[in-house]
Amino acid sequence: MLKTISQPAKLKIAPAHSPRIHLSAPHMSGMEQVFVKEAFDTNWIAPVGPHVSAFEEEFAALVDAPYAAALSSGTAALHLALLLNGVGHGDEVLVSTLTFSASANPVVYLGAKPVFVDSERASWNMDPDLLCEAIEMRAHTGHLPKAVVLVHLYGQSANIAPILAACERYGIPLIEDAAEALGSTYRGHTPGTLGKAGIYSFNGNKIITTSGGGMLVSSDAALITHAKKLATQAREPFPYYEHSEIGYNYRLSNVLAGIGRGQLRVLEERVQARRRNFAYYRRALGNLPGLAFMPEAPWGRHTRWLTCITIDPAHFGTDRERVRLALEAANIEARPVWKPMHLQPVFADCERIGGDVAEDLFQHGLCLPSGSSLTEAELARVVDVIHAAHHG
């Protein structure tokens, strides 16, 4: 069970004189301005436009997905993916518990009930054994879940194959939340492209950003066509405003799509930069007792969107929270690993399947600064504080 982390009551955070080191700051290449200038020069400022179409085509080609829809956020993409796969009032949706709330909120938007599934240790993602067991039990009672939302966490793919096989066996749509995993791989494929639909986020802290935005991908052309319609207030093709279903204002703007096109061109550079950050941390911190890194699972490439560590206070000498506060005192942003959804007050009444692994990772896990623009001097500042916390 989750233990309460003691808060050091008398800890004083000293004034920080060094520049702030952020967890994951946006990193522009310069090419974005070319596309944004074109949007201004042609006055394509409103949502939809040539950059949106080009961004969709270029993104789909990059991840090897047949069809894509550029949207206002990853959350919007997940909402439409669930809606277009028939999720509605009273349905159950199995969701990874170790994730951000945006993975579960759209389930509730639709009046459905999230059921949270624990993680496994190899990748920190959804445990396939628990998921398969939960589906089998529900199959025996004749109450199958309406969908599964599989999250790919912190830049690493979940073990998709057994989860996809279980879903296909019973005709359950698998929706992949790859918001954090663009640039990662699973057995040579891009996470987000193997299920019925996949979603990505281009929020400001992601590995590439459009400031705010997301993408929905699928091999189902009709699903993507319908998603684009719903995302533009479900307007029918008439010269006047005609609506036969409820729509949403979810389309990405042409200006932000221009930023995205510039960012796509440096994705691999951003992945390599974040993997270099991880390598630096591993060299500098890997020998500290009680400190371990999020593993890289054998089935693919981890982008290290965020470098995550766990701290065992019995061996390290202090706990995760004191390390985080020491970093904050030095004007360095670090965050605990996601608090599991089954521990969130808003989901207190939801069923959970397992939970001990996710709780343990939250209890001991810390995300370190990981931006692709970090300098070696900034990485050294982070490392120095962690060493001091260990020796202190």
Side-chain angles (χ1 to χ4, degrees):
M1 296 298 294
L2 184 70
K3 299 177 182 177
T4 302
I5 296 173
S6 59
Q7 300 287 340
K10 296 184 178 181
L11 181 67
K12 294 182 180 180
I13 297 179
H17 302 292
S18 299
R20 180 81 164 161
I21 297 178
H22 294 281
L23 187 71
S24 182
H27 187 186
M28 296 292 103
S29 69
M31 288 185 282
E32 300 85 1
Q33 295 181 22
V34 174
F35 296 109
V36 171
K37 182 177 184 301
E38 183 181 330
F40 274 80
D41 288 346
T42 59
N43 204 32
W44 273 105
I45 306 302
V48 191
H51 283 325
V52 173
S53 298
F55 187 36
E56 291 169 341
E57 292 169 5
E58 291 165 1
F59 187 89
L62 180 74
V63 302
D64 196 24
Y67 307 101
L71 302 169
S72 57
S73 67
T75 309
L78 182 55
H79 181 201
L80 292 182
L82 289 165
L83 174 64
L84 292 171
N85 278 283
V87 174
H89 186 76
D91 290 331
E92 277 192 348
V93 177
L94 303 184
V95 184
S96 304
T97 193
L98 191 63
T99 186
F100 181 51
S101 63
S103 301
N105 287 341
V107 176
V108 182
Y109 298 168
L110 295 164
K113 299 178 292 186
V115 175
F116 297 112
V117 183
D118 201 5
S119 299
E120 42 77 18
R121 296 283 182 182
S123 70
W124 295 14
N125 288 302
M126 184 186 286
D127 186 325
D129 292 337
L130 288 179
L131 185 279
C132 294
E133 181 181 321
I135 290 176
E136 291 290 344
M137 289 178 61
R138 282 159 171 76
H140 286 311
T141 62
H143 294 92
L144 286 168
K146 196 69 175 182
V148 171
V149 175
L150 174 63
V151 180
H152 304 295
L153 201 65
Y154 292 128
Q156 175 156 255
S157 173
N159 190 6
I160 303 170
I163 293 172
L164 181 60
C167 290
E168 289 180 339
R169 187 177 306 125
Y170 292 103
I172 302 166
L174 176 64
I175 298 170
E176 297 181 69
D177 181 346
E180 302 174 7
L182 181 61
S184 65
T185 62
Y186 178 77
R187 298 179 181 175
H189 298 279
T190 299
T193 63
L194 298 175
K196 181 67 173 175
I199 74 102
Y200 301 86
S201 171
F202 310 121
N203 196 25
N205 65 357
K206 295 300 188 292
I207 199 159
I208 64 170
T209 182
T210 59
S211 175
M215 192 75 75
L216 174 65
V217 303
S218 179
S219 59
D220 184 340
L223 184 147
I224 293 298
T225 298
H226 199 173
K228 290 178 180 180
K229 176 189 173 186
L230 293 179
T232 49
Q233 299 289 14
R235 288 179 57 186
E236 300 291 347
F238 292 96
Y240 47 86
Y241 290 96
E242 178 90 350
H243 306 271
S244 58
E245 55 188 329
I246 297 296
Y248 307 90
N249 186 15
Y250 279 173
R251 276 301 242 161
L252 188 67
S253 88
N254 196 57
V255 176
L256 298 188
I259 297 174
R261 294 186 69 193
Q263 288 274 283
L264 277 184
R265 283 151 174 78
V266 293
L267 173 60
E268 185 59 27
E269 294 175 29
R270 300 298 184 252
V271 171
Q272 293 304 324
R274 290 183 188 249
R275 286 179 63 86
R276 283 195 298 273
N277 291 341
F278 168 76
Y280 184 98
Y281 284 132
R282 184 172 57 183
R283 287 193 303 271
L285 301 172
N287 292 327
L288 292 180
L291 186 150
F293 291 92
M294 180 182 183
E296 184 166 31
W299 49 74
R301 180 175 74 167
H302 193 325
T303 67
R304 303 293 178 180
W305 169 58
L306 295 184
T307 290
C308 303
I309 61 174
T310 56
I311 294 172
D312 179 352
H315 295 93
F316 188 79
T318 190
D319 63 23
R320 175 264 286 165
E321 187 60 9
R322 288 177 181 267
V323 173
R324 187 189 69 81
L325 289 171
L327 289 164
E328 185 58 42
N331 208 17
I332 297 169
E333 182 184 16
R335 291 184 190 171
V337 166
W338 297 124
K339 183 176 182 179
M341 290 300 99
H342 70 267
L343 296 179
Q344 298 291 348
V346 72
F347 297 123
D349 295 332
C350 294
E351 182 183 349
R352 55 101 175 247
I353 298 166
D356 289 349
V357 173
E359 290 181 15
D360 182 66
L361 291 171
F362 167 61
Q363 176 83 13
H364 298 105
L366 187 67
C367 304
L368 301 181
S370 303
S372 50
S373 60
L374 286 174
T375 65
E376 190 164 316
E378 289 171 323
L379 291 167
R381 275 179 58 194
V382 177
V383 164
D384 288 346
V385 172
I386 295 174
H387 273 281
H390 168 61
H391 295 299

